Amino acid sequence: MLPRMDSFVIHGGRKLSGSIAVSGAKNSALPILAVSLMTDAPCSFGNVPLLRDIQTQVKILNTLGVETTWQGRTVRARVKDTYNSTAPYELVKQMRAGVCVLGPLLARRGEAVVSMPGGCVIGERPIDLHLRGLEALGAVIELDHGYIKARTPAGGLRGAEIYLGGKFGSSVLATANVLCAAVLAKGATVIECAACEPEVVDLAECLNAMGAKITGAGSPRIRVQGVRRLKGVDWSVIPDRIEAATFLIAGAITNSAITVTGCRGDHLMAVLDVLRQMGIKVERKGTTLTTVPSGRPKACEVVTLPHPAFPTDAQAQMMALMTIAEGTSTITERVFPERFMAAAEMKRMGARISVANGQAVVQGVDKLSGAEVMASDLRASAALVIAGLAAEGETRISRVYHIDRGYERIEERLRKLGARIQRIAGSDAAPATASGTAG
Ligand code: EPU
């Protein structure tokens, strides 16, 4: 069933308080679920967030012969048949991350046919690095009628030295795909310029628990010694660092004490550093982070880059905070230079933002005012919710199906913190395309 065109109505300008628990990381769960394709043994994945993108990934796996059952937030998965190795357009168009079945399928079945994921509102999103990396392992790839058709050569994939750097640096899902393929290739692989994101580390650790031999994940050089087969696994997905960042920024913009539980502070260092520079105090106790009411934030200069630098997925939310900071902030996007869709909508709320050449200049205003705005992608929607929490009066955000892709029941959880936010059910179905996906 397609999602509906629901809206949020927020009455902002209120302080929040209380505690909110972070869900499992969407961007970890998506490639990790796909490793179930790499073994005949049963796999169990815990702390999987209940999100639309995860449902789509599970549907893709089902199409590929993986039987799945849900129990709470645990997905049990086991390959039942291997007849179909095609991930169809109808599903991949709903979520670009469907492309991360490519490496696992190729490695285990010797062939993979995966719909090309196309662009989305945050930019062009090419797949050249995925293909280049798999070809270096010996895969034979052709692009045909909108599909990536990949097969292993006679004798299978072979380990190789692979440079996986692109014009914007490393790629998270290309690293995931190549890593999965290298795990079942013959011999040793070195991936240079690998993505260092915590989600890549989670994937590598999950694969190691299945019997893979991977070292160096989390650094730009990953080494893999190929193994013949993998066993099943019982894995729990890491907490979602972007969701945690979103809640911390919500605490900061409303000048509130919010406790975010179940966080990995070591995954959030760049975000915490920017908050500190803006004068926002955050107390850290174990896995708990609490925003301390710190008054009006100060302006700051932020540059997004691959991990461990400031994450692009928290850029729009941080821009929301900058709109009410004292002074002029800049935010430079070096991962997806066109990812500024939230700016025009926040301007409708009284923000003063100008965007040019991959940079937003944000002149802080005293107050935002509620307005009707439209969500265009996942993180832009989160930014509009944050802005709406701070704005005076009513903010109505349409097309919130985007936010449902990456935040579980966000309005219910924010209400528990005292936010006045309601979901208004829409009558029309949302379009089933990845054009606004950004996932
Ligand atoms: N790139 C290439 N060639 C490729 C692949 C990527 O040039 O073959 C470029 C991209 O155009 C971009 C940069 O490399 O400029 C980084 O893109 P990356 O491949 O790392 O993005 P991704 O793996 O497709 C994941 C997340 C995104 C997140 C990015 C960057 C998942 C499912 N998605 O996408 O998450 O923004 O990494 O950190 O893991 C989100 O959750 O809102 C989201 C968009």
Side-chain angles (χ1 to χ4, degrees), residues 26-27 30 96-97 122 124-130 166-174 197 241 312-313 334-337 339 378-379 438-439:
K26 163 182 86 77
N27 290 349
L30 290 169
R96 303 189 80 267
I122 69 173
E124 190 194 347
R125 311 208 58 188
I127 50 162
D128 55 306
L129 295 174
H130 301 242
K167 72 180 169 184
F168 294 106
S170 56
S171 159
V172 177
L173 290 181
E197 271 68 6
R241 64 196 167 101
T312 173
D313 292 343
R334 291 263 163 78
V335 180
F336 294 112
R339 193 182 202 177
L378 168 56
R379 307 302 172 187

